[in-house]
Amino acid sequence: MQKGPCLSETQQKNLHLRLKFRQSQMQLIRLKAHEIKKNLDGCEILSKEALKRAPPLTPPTNPITNLSVKIPLFQLMVKRMVSTNGMNFLKLKLKSVPFFISSLVLTFGLGAEAQQLVSASQKVTPPTDNFTTICWHDVTNGNPGNAFSVRKKDLIEQFDYLRANYNVVSLKDIVDASQGKKTLPPKAVLLTFDDGLDSFYENVYPLLKSYKFKAVFAIVGKWTEDGVTPDYGVKDSVPKTANWNQLKEMSDSGFVDIVSHTYDMHQGQVFNPQGSEAAMAAFFKYDAQKKSYQSEEDFTARALADLKKNNELIKKHLGKDNNVIVWPYGASNSLSRKAAEEAGLTIQMSLRTGLNSVHDLAHIRRGLMFSDMDINQFAQSLKQAFVDQSPLRMIRVDIDSLWKKTEAETEQNLGDLLDNTLALGANGVLLQALSDTGEAYFATSAVKMRGDYLNRVGHSMRYRANVPYVYARLPQSFLKDTSIATAAIRDLAKYTDIDGIFFDMRTKEKSKDVTIPFETFMAAARTVRPNWQFGLIGQKPVDASLFNYVVVAAKDVEKEKALQADSEYRPAKVVVALPQDYKSDVPTLTTQGYLNLFYDVNFNGFTPDAEFKSLFSVRQSTLKQNKAETK
């Protein structure tokens, strides 16, 4: 009588599930298969027909990575033992599963690890569709000339760290992955260098060849033609740019992808009546003589002509088509981005931070390197994709309190406010967009204007008071007329340097609930600023996923806790509005995980005490991302 196999099909499947994560031991298994075989008893040879009748063992799925394990460990062992005896087919029967596991323990020295094989899956890092991008500028042999320069010896240390801990990939690797031709390795990193400087050819290019790294090199066409940068901020020096012969050599080497950094948009331009300057590719030019802003048509036409011209230069001198735009200062808007797409620039890079996906190459985020970043800071920044994880500590500024009869008085008030804000160290500010009488503090034809001043305050808060996150506050009363509000919000997006809007739904009016078309307003703003953020004050959101922040009064936090069952409504999204007498609330709030705080009192004229400064002074992160990023 033919003896039945010792392992049932169910047992075999269970065995596969327990051993599926041991792929890292594959080579060792092949070498040790003979030794296992010597310990096995009662092997049974089955016919080919019997094997064909057996149900296939479907490769199990890794519950952590959702990736199918294509070559089960058990099958590999069987195949190896079949080949040693010249057998064409073999089915193992084992007296017991414990016996088989004990053989693994004795032969491979797996010990306790063999008893918890599933935990080994945590050690296997699968391929991924994600990657991090780093941005460098000048690389010097001596001391850095400015905050954006790094020393060559520091770059070498960073390259050593990358080689030991990450997988540097090329732009082609990423494009191929986006097209499904390959997968990226774990912890993939893309290297980019901006501005087309000669120091890249002298100091970086040799390192790339030595380390066998590949990098993206973004050039400003006019600077390349001139041979120098106009004013790079380096003391007693105007850096030279790489010439076309050097660019050709690097491009042909296969180590460097030469891409566009615009032809002549790497500069600021006046963008408000007070003379403030901002990135040319992101903001509309203000004409002081005509007292008007550049039209959308002129903005788009100028951007398109510039981008096409730089691509033509690259094609002429390097013989290659280019489809990458690295935005100067990382700044663009929806109009310039659309012009880039028309020019064939489908891959677009900013200086926003975070992890990238191969499925969205039109929004590649990059972490900006600074001269004072040591290797530990570099490692930590890279680990969190350069995202500053500081909680939001936001103050409120009512522009009514700044606005005076004369420009000189108004500017003096603003100067005092900026000094106090800089000394405080808050990382967020909420600005009044409409006066108490309903007049706009920004350029618009939709409603009556009091003055074009919100942009001046917001831009100054960002660059003089070092407040990275600047928002405007719009009251519910203004939002009731959808057509007017939509037009005004789009103007607010066009003519201000801010990061988004908080809709303030608090009202003293005794009326029925008003339905506000938030999505309509958001869509209007994003036709200019695709990355604006939005907050909601004083109302439970119907759809929390629409908002980046939801502001809750300190007294209402307990009532709102029930909402946290919604994954879109969590403490990380909630901003707690503190009253004037806030001190008794803070310890409980922070203990419960509510770290985003908003002091809902006009900060202009407010004198903070030491305790307030300690609470609202956000320690500036070593990531120090340049906030001239894509809005």
Side-chain angles (χ1 to χ4, degrees), residues 406-417:
T406 68
E407 182 179 349
E409 289 179 293
T410 302
E411 285 289 285
Q412 181 60 54
N413 284 343
L414 176 60
D416 293 341
L417 171 66

Side-chain angles (χ1 to χ4, degrees), residues 31-43:
L31 295 174
K32 296 293 184 178
H34 284 295
E35 296 178 33
I36 294 180
K37 180 178 178 297
K38 293 177 182 178
N39 290 320
L40 298 177
D41 180 41
C43 290

Side-chain angles (χ1 to χ4, degrees), residues 370-507:
F370 291 86
S371 60
D372 60 352
M373 186 177 288
D374 63 30
I375 194 62
N376 292 326
Q377 293 166 340
F378 175 77
Q380 182 60 32
S381 299
L382 196 56
K383 183 178 179 180
Q384 59 197 49
F386 295 88
V387 175
D388 188 344
Q389 299 178 344
S390 303
L392 181 66
R393 298 296 163 88
M394 186 166 64
I395 58 175
R396 192 188 94 198
V397 171
D398 297 341
I399 298 181
D400 278 349
S401 66
L402 298 175
W403 191 257
K404 300 300 177 183
K405 293 181 179 180
T406 68
E407 182 179 349
E409 289 179 293
T410 302
E411 285 289 285
Q412 181 60 54
N413 284 343
L414 176 60
D416 293 341
L417 171 66
L418 295 174
D419 289 341
N420 292 336
T421 306
L422 179 63
L424 176 64
N427 65 352
V429 60
L430 187 60
L431 302 177
Q432 178 188 23
L434 298 167
S435 70
D436 284 346
T437 57
E439 298 168 312
Y441 278 116
F442 55 93
T444 181
S445 58
V447 296
K448 183 180 179 180
M449 288 175 54
R450 174 169 288 189
D452 188 354
Y453 204 60
L454 185 149
N455 190 26
R456 169 70 165 174
V457 178
H459 191 72
S460 300
M461 277 285 181
R462 191 187 303 285
Y463 292 103
R464 289 174 57 186
N466 293 341
V467 179
Y469 305 108
V470 181
Y471 302 100
R473 176 172 57 90
L474 292 176
Q476 178 186 6
S477 58
F478 172 72
L479 304 174
K480 292 179 180 179
D481 189 319
T482 301
S483 61
I484 291 177
T486 300
I489 286 171
R490 191 173 191 279
D491 287 339
L492 180 64
K494 284 177 64 176
Y495 304 125
T496 62
D497 177 16
I498 61 176
D499 296 288
I501 297 171
F502 277 62
F503 300 105
D504 193 343
M505 302 303 293
R506 297 171 296 183
T507 178

Side-chain angles (χ1 to χ4, degrees), residues 102-134:
S102 66
S103 296
L104 285 175
V105 174
L106 293 174
T107 307
F108 298 145
L110 298 179
E113 189 174 310
Q115 300 172 19
Q116 299 176 352
L117 292 175
V118 173
S119 66
S121 66
Q122 300 172 359
K123 298 182 181 181
V124 178
T125 307
T128 174
D129 289 337
N130 299 327
F131 64 98
T132 303
T133 307
I134 309 174

Side-chain angles (χ1 to χ4, degrees), residues 130-133 166-175 182-192 212-216 255 257 358:
N130 299 327
F131 64 98
T132 303
T133 307
Y166 287 82
N167 291 297
V168 173
V169 296
S170 69
L171 185 61
K172 186 179 186 304
D173 291 330
I174 290 170
V175 172
K182 66 188 306 181
T183 55
L184 294 182
K187 302 175 74 173
V189 174
L190 177 66
L191 314 181
T192 69
K212 292 182 171 51
F213 287 172
K214 296 182 179 181
V216 174
F255 285 96
D257 289 302
V358 298

Side-chain angles (χ1 to χ4, degrees), residues 136 152-168 191 207 210-211 213 375 378 382:
W136 289 270
K152 181 179 178 180
K153 69 174 187 177
D154 292 334
L155 182 65
I156 291 173
E157 189 175 21
Q158 292 162 5
F159 274 16
D160 285 340
Y161 183 82
L162 288 171
R163 183 165 60 183
N165 298 281
Y166 287 82
N167 291 297
V168 173
L191 314 181
L207 291 179
S210 175
Y211 283 80
F213 287 172
I375 194 62
F378 175 77
L382 196 56

Side-chain angles (χ1 to χ4, degrees), residues 136-149:
W136 289 270
H137 287 78
D138 193 17
V139 178
T140 66
N141 288 311
N143 291 325
N146 62 26
F148 303 105
S149 299

